[in-house]
């Protein structure tokens, strides 16, 4: 089986290198190298212990011998556990690693400083998700179906066979490109799958509230609880080069408590071969997010990455929104049940149900279950138990999304809730929801925060946002009361949005906005949206204050739907004449 993998992997195309000068991608000659004792098998604990022993000797550039290995985990919290390493470079280029335990991360980087890695290519023998092929479809109501499906060999069947408390996701055909891709919404399961008499591995299940139309031959997917396929934690200045992940039962990478992790030429895509004893290729690369940054001190950089066929968001950067549970034991203190802070951190407070910003304060001390600040804002101290807080030092600010390509994903391309960052030179295509989503998700996911000082420049969005009347292909938004004093100093220019069948652009809950050139090509081109009762607008501006508006915003090509408005103006729109009704022009025909 290993020889089969090697033959197929020789044809795998890796993501393009990042722009600009790059370190060498081939390990230097005479690099100190670990040679596994058993051919084709890597003991992860032995390898990482060897790496630490080389650091003690002062050897700071090491390698894993080229080849393909099944990785056997030991006592560590990952198949390969890089812990407490400093100023090391680890070469795993030209290495293929098959992980053997689903639910255990492939790589965990923990408490490291200035660590640089190259490679490897990683997958699991048993993909940690169910996959099946639809064999019959019966319509039972508005977006409700009875589905008959046949389990694909080699995939864990348990998630599809016991779905009464879970969700199933499917795929559908992009109406514009004809390409099969991740379905644009979860499908609520109506009950446990039932075996079909006389047909091996064939079952029926009721699906309701579908956001895709199932058809014979389409795939169904289901997963278990969220797991992390790779982790980087509490580390500083980590650079992960040329890491290719070919299937993932959960998050590709989770990044927490770090100060700058760079993902350079990272790829997440379906394996080009079936699992052992299987014949069907995996149609998904991941059953959750690609790279998820939660609570980083300095946000990650994504440079020249590639994300294909994910079941959720490609890149997510955010902090957490945490409840205040009551008064503390001293003045200007309060009790908490979750959340992290250290002295010097800046906290921002929000009203309980409206999420209206209530002011900020600086942490002076932290004890078990309690935080003390220099001065609680008056409207916070008077209603502590009805207030939320977020740590402005732990939301991933300083992020960058550069030269990256996402395609065929169910969720969003880049979903950002952090400040002081840039999104530049990217191609987002075939994303079922928005390609670029900027702003908090307080009410749904308790993820913070509003953003400040974010530049969005020279990006192309193509064939995205198929189903939502509430979102947009590119969206800068608030949450709760959606007031104007949410996001600030957001700059957008050099944006091309092409072939989007629902809302193209939404900017709201923002002030100090700089809006430059935006081109809208073929808006609503295919006359297609699941929200047929909603005519929609090409662009919507709501509760926004402009710092400047330059260049042009023009709709060109063909507007394919009757009744589509160019611009929708809601609430306050400041800084432009006539409430911004001339923000867009059009020479497009119906």
């Amino acid at each position: 089986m290993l020889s089969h993998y090697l033959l197929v992997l020789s044809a795998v195309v890796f993501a393009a290198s990042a722009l600009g000068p790059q370190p060498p991608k081939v390990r230097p000659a005479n690099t100190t190298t670990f040679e596994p004792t058993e051919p084709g098998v890597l003991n992860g604990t032995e390898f990482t212990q060897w790496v630490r022993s080389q650091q003690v000797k002062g050897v700071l550039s090491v390698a894993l011998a080229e080849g393909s290995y099944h990785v056997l985990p030991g006592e560590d919290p990952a198949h390969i556990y890089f812990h407490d390493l400093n100023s090391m470079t680890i070469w795993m280029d030209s290495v293929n690693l098959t992980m053997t335990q689903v639910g255990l991360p492939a790589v965990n980087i923990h408490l490291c400083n200035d660590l640089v890695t190259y490679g490897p290519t990683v997958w699991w023998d048993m993909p940690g998700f169910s996959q099946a092929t639809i064999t019959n479809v019966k319509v039972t109501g508005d977006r409700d179906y009875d589905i008959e499906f046949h389990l694909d060999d080699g995939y864990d069947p348990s998630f599809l066979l016991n779905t009464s408390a879970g969700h199933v996701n499917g795929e559908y055909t992009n109406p514009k490109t004809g390409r099969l891709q991740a379905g644009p919404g979860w499908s609520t399961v109506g009950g446990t799958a039932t075996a079909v008499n006389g047909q091996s591995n064939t079952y029926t299940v009721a699906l309701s509230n579908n956001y895709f139309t199932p058809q014979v031959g389409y795939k169904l997917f289901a997963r278990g609880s969220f797991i992390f396929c790779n982790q980087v934690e509490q580390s500083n200045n980590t650079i992960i080069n040329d890491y290719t992940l070919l299937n993932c039962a959960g998050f590709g990478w989770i990044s927490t408590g770090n100060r700058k992790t760079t993902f350079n030429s990272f790829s997440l895509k379906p394996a080009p071969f079936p699992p052992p004893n299987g014949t069907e290729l995996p149609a998904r690369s991941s059953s959750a997010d690609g790279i998820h940054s939660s609570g980083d001190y300095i946000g990650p950089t994504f440079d020249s990455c590639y994300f294909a066929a994910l079941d959720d968001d490609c890149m997510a950067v955010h902090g957490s929104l945490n409840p205040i549970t009551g008064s503390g034991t001293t003045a200007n203190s309060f009790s908490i049940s979750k959340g992290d802070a250290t002295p010097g951190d800046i906290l921002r407070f929000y009203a309980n149900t409206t999420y209206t910003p209530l002011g900020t304060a600086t942490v002076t001390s932290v004890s078990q279950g309690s935080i003390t600040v220099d001065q609680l804002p008056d409207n916070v101290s008077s209603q502590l138990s009805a207030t939320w807080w977020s740590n402005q030092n732990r939301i991933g600010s300083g992020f960058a999304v550069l030269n990256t390509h996402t395609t065929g994903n169910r969720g969003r391309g880049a979903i950002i809730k952090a400040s002081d960052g840039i999104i530049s030179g990217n191609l987002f295509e075939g994303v079922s929801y928005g390609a670029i989503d900027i702003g908090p998700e307080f009410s749904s996911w308790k993820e913070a925060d509003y953003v400040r000082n974010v530049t969005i420049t020279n990006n192309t969005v193509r064939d995205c946002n198929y189903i939502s009347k509430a979102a947009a292909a590119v969206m800068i938004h608030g949450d709760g009361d959606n007031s104007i004093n949410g996001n600030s100093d957001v700059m957008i220019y050099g944006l091309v949005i092409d072939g989007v069948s629902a809302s193209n652009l939404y900017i709201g809950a923002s002030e100090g906005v700089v809006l430059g050139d935006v081109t809208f090509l073929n808006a609503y081109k295919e006359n297609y949206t699941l929200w047929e009762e909603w005519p929609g607008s090409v662009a919507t501006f709501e509760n926004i204050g402009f710092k400047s508006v330059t260049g042009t915003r023009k709709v060109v090509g063909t507007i394919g739907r009757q009744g589509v408005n160019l611009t929708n103006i809601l609430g306050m729109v400041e800084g432009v004449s006539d409430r911004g009704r001339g923000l867009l022009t059009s020479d497009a025909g119906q």
Side-chain angles (χ1 to χ4, degrees):
M1 187 60 68
L2 276 176
S3 61
H4 164 68
Y5 287 160
L6 278 171
L7 288 173
V8 177
L9 258 293
S10 65
V12 173
V13 178
F14 288 82
S17 300
L19 301 179
Q22 291 296 302
K25 297 302 178 80
V26 178
R27 68 185 68 184
N30 302 319
T31 301
T32 303
T33 300
F34 179 82
E35 299 279 354
T37 55
E38 183 179 352
V41 177
L42 174 66
N43 184 303
T45 298
E46 288 183 359
F47 173 51
T48 53
Q49 288 178 345
W50 176 84
V51 171
R52 285 193 286 271
S53 72
Q54 297 304 303
Q55 177 177 254
V56 171
K57 296 177 182 179
V59 179
L60 300 182
S61 181
V62 298
L64 173 61
E66 296 180 4
S68 295
Y69 306 99
H70 275 79
V71 184
L72 304 179
E75 299 298 321
D76 294 330
H79 286 80
I80 297 174
Y81 184 53
F82 296 131
H83 171 72
D84 196 23
L85 300 176
N86 297 290
S87 302
M88 290 200 74
T89 298
I90 302 173
W91 294 88
M92 296 178 287
D93 57 312
S94 301
V95 170
N96 304 317
L97 299 179
T98 303
M99 301 301 154
T100 55
Q101 183 176 330
V102 173
L104 186 70
V107 174
N108 186 322
I109 298 171
H110 181 246
L111 291 175
C112 294
N113 296 289
D114 300 311
L115 178 68
V116 179
T117 67
Y118 288 91
T121 297
V122 170
W123 66 88
W124 272 258
D125 252 346
M126 169 67 81
F129 52 85
S130 299
Q131 180 171 304
T133 303
I134 295 176
T135 54
N136 195 22
V137 178
K138 180 181 178 181
V139 179
T140 58
D142 182 19
R143 295 192 291 157
D144 298 338
Y145 306 89
D146 284 343
I147 303 295
E148 180 184 278
F149 62 87
H150 182 83
L151 293 169
D152 291 348
D153 292 335
Y155 299 86
D156 187 338
S158 62
F159 308 126
L160 270 174
L161 298 187
N162 184 19
T163 56
S164 58
H167 293 85
V168 172
N169 197 15
E171 64 188 8
Y172 79 122
T173 300
N174 180 322
K176 289 182 286 296
T177 66
R179 175 179 55 198
L180 273 178
Q181 63 183 69
W186 292 112
S187 303
T188 303
V189 176
T192 302
T194 303
V196 176
N197 291 332
Q199 299 187 45
S200 176
N201 291 328
T202 301
Y203 298 82
T204 60
V205 69
L207 301 181
S208 61
N209 198 33
N210 269 18
Y211 289 101
F212 68 100
T213 302
Q215 295 184 25
V216 172
Y218 282 11
K219 298 293 185 182
L220 288 178
F221 307 88
R223 57 161 174 77
S225 58
F226 285 121
I227 61 175
F228 305 140
C229 294
N230 298 273
Q231 294 174 273
V232 54
E233 305 173 285
Q234 302 175 57
S235 297
N236 300 322
N237 195 30
T238 302
I239 302 177
I240 299 167
N241 294 294
D242 304 318
Y243 190 113
T244 298
L245 187 57
L246 294 182
N247 64 45
C248 176
F251 295 90
W253 279 87
I254 186 77
S255 175
T256 306
N258 301 294
R259 290 177 170 82
K260 185 53 70 178
T261 302
T262 298
F263 296 91
N264 182 39
S265 297
F266 169 78
S267 293
L268 176 53
K269 53 192 175 183
F273 48 80
N277 304 315
T279 58
E280 295 288 327
L281 298 176
R284 292 289 183 276
S285 60
S286 169
S287 57
D289 291 352
I291 301 177
H292 191 105
S293 165
S294 176
D296 279 334
Y297 288 97
I298 301 176
T301 290
F302 312 96
D303 195 345
S304 299
C305 297
Y306 178 72
F307 298 89
L310 279 71
D311 258 8
D312 215 326
D313 305 321
C314 296
M315 297 161 282
V317 183
H318 67 87
S320 63
L321 187 72
N322 310 296
I324 292 178
T325 57
S327 301
T329 57
T330 61
N332 294 311
S333 68
F334 54 90
S335 57
I336 62 171
S337 58
K338 56 173 291 190
D340 296 309
T342 57
D345 288 350
I346 297 174
L347 308 186
R348 196 177 192 187
F349 299 94
Y350 294 94
N352 186 32
T353 56
T354 64
Y355 304 105
T356 302
L358 301 177
T360 61
T362 302
V363 177
T364 57
S365 65
V366 178
S367 59
Q368 184 66 35
S370 178
I371 294 176
T372 302
V373 298
D374 56 350
Q375 182 65 54
L376 281 170
D378 291 340
N379 51 359
V380 173
S381 57
S382 61
Q383 51 177 353
L384 272 174
S385 60
T387 303
W388 300 87
W389 65 277
S390 68
N391 188 340
Q392 299 299 286
N393 294 74
R394 295 288 301 274
I395 60 175
S397 294
F399 72 91
V401 181
L402 307 171
N403 315 311
T404 286
H405 181 194
T406 74
T407 182
N409 305 295
R410 185 197 70 87
R412 289 154 291 196
I415 179 168
I416 306 294
K417 306 172 179 73
S419 297
D420 301 319
I422 184 170
I423 302 172
S424 179
N426 305 288
L427 170 60
F428 302 94
E429 61 176 351
V431 179
S432 295
Y433 292 109
I436 302 173
D437 187 315
I438 307 294
E441 288 183 304
F442 293 143
S443 54
S444 55
W445 290 98
K446 298 298 182 286
E447 292 179 354
D449 208 319
Y450 284 107
V451 310
R452 299 174 301 281
N453 190 29
V454 171
T455 299
I456 303 169
T457 175
N458 298 327
N459 298 282
T460 298
V461 174
R462 183 182 300 142
D463 300 330
C464 296
N465 192 38
Y466 304 127
I467 70 162
S468 180
K469 65 177 180 179
V474 175
M475 187 172 186
I476 296 92
H477 60 87
D479 202 343
D481 63 3
N482 208 29
S483 61
I484 198 170
N485 61 335
N487 307 298
S488 62
D489 299 313
V490 178
M491 180 183 296
I492 303 173
Y493 60 91
L495 175 63
V496 176
I497 302 177
D498 183 7
V500 168
S501 298
S503 181
N504 281 227
L505 175 66
Y506 173 93
I507 305 177
S510 302
E511 58 184 349
V513 175
V514 175
L515 186 60
D517 290 328
V518 182
T519 301
F520 305 89
L521 297 174
N522 304 314
Y524 293 84
K525 176 181 178 181
E526 298 297 328
N527 196 28
Y528 167 82
T529 175
L530 293 183
W531 303 97
E532 294 297 337
E533 75 280 7
W534 183 68
S537 297
V538 175
T540 297
F541 303 98
E542 178 179 13
N543 291 335
I544 179 173
F546 286 103
K547 181 184 294 182
S548 68
V549 177
T550 60
T552 60
R553 284 143 304 283
K554 180 175 288 189
V555 181
V556 299
T558 302
I559 296 182
R561 284 179 56 86
Q562 298 292 333
V564 174
N565 302 311
L566 281 183
T567 311
N568 192 18
I569 305 295
L570 301 172
M572 295 184 295
V573 177
E574 302 174 349
V576 290
S577 60
D578 193 27
R579 297 190 72 242
R581 297 190 186 279
L583 283 170
L584 267 69
T585 61
S586 175
D587 52 14
Q590 293 285 350

